[in-house]
Amino acid sequence: VHRRDAATGAWSLDGRLAVPDPRDYAYGGTDVAIACEPPVTPGGAPTVEAVVWVDTRMVVWHRDAAGTWSIRQTIPFGASPLPVSGVTDVIEMSSPGPAASLPALLIGTEVWRRTGPEATPWVREASVTPPRGQDEFFRALAIDRDLVVVGAVYDPLSGSAPGGRAYVYRYTGTGPSGGWEQDGVLSPAVPRERFGFEVAVWAGPASDGDGARVAVRSVRGVTTFRRDGPGVWREEVLIEQGAPPQPWTGVLGGVNDRYLAFGYSTDNTRGPEAGIVYLLDLRSVVAGESGPAAPGAGLALSGPNPARTRTSLALTLPEVGAVTVALFDALGRRVALVHDGALGAGTTEVAVDVSGLPPGVYVARAVGAGVMASVRLTVVR
């Protein structure tokens, strides 16, 4: 465990969490989770707990006010059986959320929560196991505050289509399942191969869950979904993961209101340069997602929509400066550069030639000169 000094920003070793039985090292530490809660009283010490997967059990470590780490609880797999051996994410932990006063711990597809503050025991709160059927192979888990996502791909031995789903559960504090209720089942409009074998979730800025985002990985890309209301999830965009050359393999890292993170590692032939993490600004590919606009800045369609050959955009700039206007397809790829250069302040009509584009939905995006805005347009034939 490493800890960051708030004053200097420097990271230093805070503790080595080694179990007393050396036989556990065969599988010790292959998955870990940690949560930090604010102090209960002003000026007090925060509550920090880490959970380590050790062979056949979870070991809960607690950090006291003096900075000493000690084992406070063990949770055997027998108390929280994994649904199938195909689960790759074993444990995840969330910080306290608006609806839940204590952090939640995800073990397999079960939610555990502490019975009180500080080092009180963790107890099983609910099961969020998706219904069995074609979704036999549960591969991925993610939790953020009051949202849990379980990714489930189809069992390749069943002969079913090579797709999958992501199940979303939200903590409401009521109901028969420990306060967790299913909020949505996410699947793409166009089937994706092995959809659901990696997931990431961001609980959103609001306590009611609106604005939350889920990213779901398939073989060749990541699809993002946005929560517009209770049980209402909107598919946003598919980001194709085709940039890094083979033999790189992408790993979905996380998602929030602005960024999508995924990492790539090589076959270890590149020495210390054996991997890289990509951070994608989702505002560049998701229609309607824009950063804070300066007064007097904006982008709007002023021509035909749907368009067959040509349309136009009304670009309003608060100042003179360079601006780039480009078109992106549903995969998040830039397919056309509409304008790249200086424009004057005020509103300018920018012509857009779509005659060479296939039918579909596109995103026009303007960045620069005090503006960062996007608008959706449709091309038909």
Side-chain angles (χ1 to χ4, degrees):
V1 180
H2 285 74
R3 185 169 183 265
R4 181 180 184 272
D5 186 284
T8 65
W11 288 86
S12 61
L13 182 66
D14 189 75
R16 294 174 60 89
L17 310 186
V19 293
D21 189 345
R23 292 174 298 177
D24 288 326
Y25 283 111
Y27 298 101
T30 53
D31 203 0
V32 295
I34 194 166
C36 180
E37 300 172 59
V40 177
T41 58
T47 298
V48 184
E49 288 189 322
V51 181
V52 182
W53 177 22
V54 178
D55 198 12
T56 60
R57 63 192 185 278
M58 307 294 173
V59 179
V60 182
W61 294 76
H62 175 78
R63 185 182 190 274
D64 63 22
T68 302
W69 288 89
S70 60
I71 297 176
R72 293 297 179 90
Q73 184 181 1
T74 59
I75 303 173
F77 270 177
S80 178
L82 299 180
V84 290
S85 60
V87 170
T88 55
D89 293 331
V90 180
I91 49 177
E92 301 283 342
M93 190 185 292
S94 170
S95 297
S101 59
L102 294 170
L105 173 65
L106 197 60
I107 303 178
T109 52
E110 292 187 345
V111 181
W112 288 60
R113 203 183 299 274
R114 280 209 319 269
T115 57
E118 298 302 327
T120 49
W122 292 78
V123 298
R124 181 185 179 277
E125 182 177 74
S127 172
V128 292
T129 303
R132 301 300 290 268
Q134 286 185 315
D135 300 328
E136 295 285 348
F137 200 35
F138 307 133
R139 292 283 302 182
L141 306 169
I143 182 172
D144 184 35
R145 300 203 318 262
D146 301 326
L147 284 179
V148 165
V149 179
V150 180
V153 300
Y154 294 152
D155 182 357
L157 301 179
S158 68
S160 58
R165 300 183 182 91
Y167 295 84
V168 183
Y169 298 85
R170 180 169 178 265
Y171 184 78
T172 62
T174 60
S177 302
W180 291 88
E181 301 295 333
Q182 185 172 296
D183 191 74
V185 180
L186 310 182
S187 59
V190 178
R192 308 291 177 190
E193 184 180 358
R194 292 180 65 78
F195 179 86
F197 76 91
E198 285 182 349
V199 294
V201 60
W202 175 67
S207 60
D208 59 5
D210 288 353
R213 175 175 277 149
V214 170
V216 185
R217 173 92 186 280
S218 55
V219 168
R220 295 180 178 85
V222 175
T223 305
T224 66
F225 298 82
R226 195 80 169 197
R227 188 179 189 269
D228 292 334
V232 180
W233 289 86
R234 164 174 51 89
E235 182 176 346
E236 289 183 310
V237 69
L238 168 69
I239 298 98
E240 192 173 36
Q241 290 184 286
Q246 293 298 325
W248 295 36
T249 302
V251 177
L252 176 60
V255 70
N256 62 13
D257 61 331
R258 180 172 177 180
Y259 293 107
L260 176 73
F262 46 93
Y264 292 85
S265 60
T266 67
D267 58 357
N268 296 324
T269 61
R270 293 168 57 90
E273 299 179 0
I276 191 169
V277 174
Y278 283 88
L279 200 62
L280 173 68
D281 190 338
L282 290 170
R283 297 181 305 180
S284 66
V285 294
V286 176
E289 292 292 319
S290 300
L299 181 69
L301 276 165
S302 56
N305 187 35
R308 294 184 180 275
T309 58
R310 299 181 68 84
T311 187
S312 59
L313 301 168
L315 176 60
T316 303
L317 303 180
E319 60 191 36
V320 177
V323 62
T324 299
V325 182
L327 288 183
F328 297 85
D329 65 10
L331 299 179
R333 301 172 298 192
R334 193 173 82 169
V335 296
L337 181 61
V338 178
H339 177 84
D340 188 19
L343 288 175
T347 300
T348 302
E349 291 289 323
V350 180
V352 182
D353 183 0
V354 297
S355 59
L357 298 177
V361 178
Y362 296 85
V363 175
R365 182 158 183 81
V367 178
V371 66
M372 182 179 291
S374 60
V375 66
R376 182 179 299 189
L377 64 91
T378 303
V379 176
V380 295
R381 293 288 178 256

